[in-house]
Structure formats: C-alpha cells, structure tokens
Amino acid sequence: MNKKLITIVLLLSSSADGFSPTNARSMVKNLVGNIELDAQAMTKAAVASALSFTLLFGPALPALADGQTNKFKLPPIDLSDKNRCQFSSSAMGQANAQRDKLYDLRQCNLSGKDASGYDLSGVIMKDTDVSNTKFIESQFSKGYLQDSKFDGADFTNGIIDRANFAGSSLNGAIFQNTVLTGTSFIGADVENADFTDAYIGDFDIRNLCKNPTLKGENPVTGADTRMSAGCGGPK
C-alpha cells in the first residue's frame, strides 16, 4: 500500500466529523481492498490479451506495430462454421481487438455489403472480397487485411489502426477523413484511391508516397490520388 495514499486518507478522516482511529483504519482497509481487486482484474485482462495475441499471431515480434509486421502465423479456416462469413461488431472495445473467438473472414465474399459503424477490430481477411462495401465510420484495430479485394470500398470517417493491407487491391477506395495510424499499404494497389483529409502518421505517409500505384483519380469523388495523400504532384 502506498504510504502517501494512507496519509491522504488519514488527513481527510481527521477533518471530517466523527473522526476516530477506527474510522480511519476502516477507510484504509477498504481502499487497500479496492486497489487489490483492481490489480487482480488488470492482471487477468493482460494475461487474456497476451494469450489471444499469441494464439493468433504466434510468438511476439520485436519493436514493430502490427501494421508493419511481415509474418503472421494464421490458424486453419473453420469451414464447418456456416455463419462465419458475416460482419459482426465487437462489443469489447476496439483498442485491444478483443473478441470471444477468432474473427475469421478469410475466403468470404461480402462485396457490396454495408458494415458502416461496425467495430471490426481483430478481423482476419485473406482472399476476401469486400469490394464496394461501406465501412463508413467503422473501426479496424489490429486488422489482418492482406491479399483481399477492397476495390471501391468506402472507409470515410473510419479508424484503421495497426492494420496491414499488403497484397490487397484498394482501387478506387475512399479514405476521406479516415484515421490511418500504424497501417501499412506496402505491396497494396491504391490506384484511384482518395485519401483526402486522412490522418496518416509520418512514417506511414513516407511509405505510402513510395507506392508506385499511388496515382490516378477517384471515380466517385474526383480527387487526385497522389495529391489527396499529400504526396505532391505526379511522381
């Protein structure tokens, strides 16, 4: 127990009516109990998160945000789950991408669907078709979004944090006013995409500007792709 906290409790108690050593001891005991309960809850949550991450991605990889990690160890697809290919919003909060089971959309065809406002954190997409799908104000945290079709997808006002689009096609995708932090487009096709007013970190924008497919004009908004990303004129 922190001595400063005990001192604060004693001072507050002494200034209150009906102060007694018994009251002070009771307050300290309750405070200690609450701190211990909070510490136990935090420990359990940390262990559960670590186990989930290890099961999904294998051993921890050093000093890399998820969006920049090159190698992942993915489990086999559960083809027996007939309800697997559908959008499902996480109720556990996007920051840690926690779910009660693996959110696997590999080899699913969800083209033209509307997943606006969904929390899709922790999703795994590979050989997935979500072309022309609406992801307006949707959240992707720690998303594995590789080798998939996002052509014409609309991510306006969304949050894409620590995700990886390697090998994916994002031709004509819209990222207007989208938060793109720790997210990699290396090896992705971003021709005709619109990044107008998107927030992209310094490291990520340098890599995006090097992408040879960063060119063209978005067919919906008319925005110049390279200019919208803040990369200057034609390369």
Side-chain angles (χ1 to χ4, degrees):
M1 178 63 181
N2 191 302
K3 292 183 179 179
K4 290 184 179 179
L5 289 178
I6 295 177
T7 302
I8 291 172
V9 171
L10 292 174
L11 288 174
L12 290 174
S13 300
S14 63
S15 63
D17 293 336
F19 166 74
S20 71
T22 301
N23 291 340
R25 283 195 297 270
S26 177
M27 293 178 67
V28 171
K29 183 177 181 181
N30 290 335
L31 181 58
V32 171
N34 290 335
I35 291 175
E36 289 177 347
L37 287 174
D38 290 343
Q40 291 174 2
M42 291 174 65
T43 300
K44 289 180 179 179
V47 170
S49 297
L51 287 174
S52 298
F53 187 88
T54 301
L55 287 173
L56 179 57
F57 300 122
L61 298 174
L64 291 174
D66 298 323
Q68 307 301 330
T69 302
N70 295 320
K71 294 182 180 180
F72 292 88
K73 184 178 180 181
L74 299 176
I77 300 174
D78 183 7
L79 298 176
S80 65
D81 185 355
K82 303 304 180 184
N83 298 316
R84 183 176 62 84
C85 292
Q86 58 184 338
F87 290 120
S88 174
S89 188
S90 171
M92 298 185 183
Q94 64 93 18
N96 292 315
Q98 295 180 343
R99 288 179 179 267
D100 55 0
K101 69 175 185 178
L102 195 66
Y103 188 25
D104 190 356
L105 295 182
R106 284 176 290 175
Q107 300 180 12
C108 293
N109 188 342
L110 295 166
S111 177
K113 302 292 185 179
D114 190 347
S116 297
Y118 277 58
D119 183 347
L120 302 173
S121 300
V123 66
I124 300 176
M125 293 186 184
K126 183 176 174 64
D127 300 319
T128 304
D129 187 353
V130 285
S131 54
N132 300 308
T133 295
K134 291 183 179 180
F135 295 113
I136 299 172
E137 297 185 355
S138 295
Q139 300 175 3
F140 292 82
S141 180
K142 299 183 180 179
Y144 185 97
L145 311 174
Q146 299 187 20
D147 302 311
S148 296
K149 291 183 65 177
F150 293 90
D151 298 335
D154 190 349
F155 297 91
T156 298
N157 295 331
I159 298 175
I160 305 177
D161 175 47
R162 293 164 290 175
N164 194 322
F165 285 104
S168 289
S169 178
L170 296 123
N171 197 303
I174 300 174
F175 293 95
Q176 287 189 347
N177 199 42
T178 304
V179 175
L180 296 165
T181 51
T183 294
S184 175
F185 292 93
I186 296 175
D189 181 0
V190 293
E191 187 171 358
N192 301 321
D194 181 1
F195 293 93
T196 300
D197 295 327
Y199 175 80
I200 309 174
D202 292 340
F203 178 79
D204 302 312
I205 192 63
R206 287 198 294 270
N207 285 329
L208 180 58
C209 290
K210 295 176 184 177
N211 190 316
T213 68
L214 190 72
K215 59 185 179 182
E217 181 180 292
N218 189 273
V220 176
T221 66
D224 179 276
T225 296
R226 191 166 184 84
M227 293 292 289
S228 71
C231 297
K235 188 175 179 181

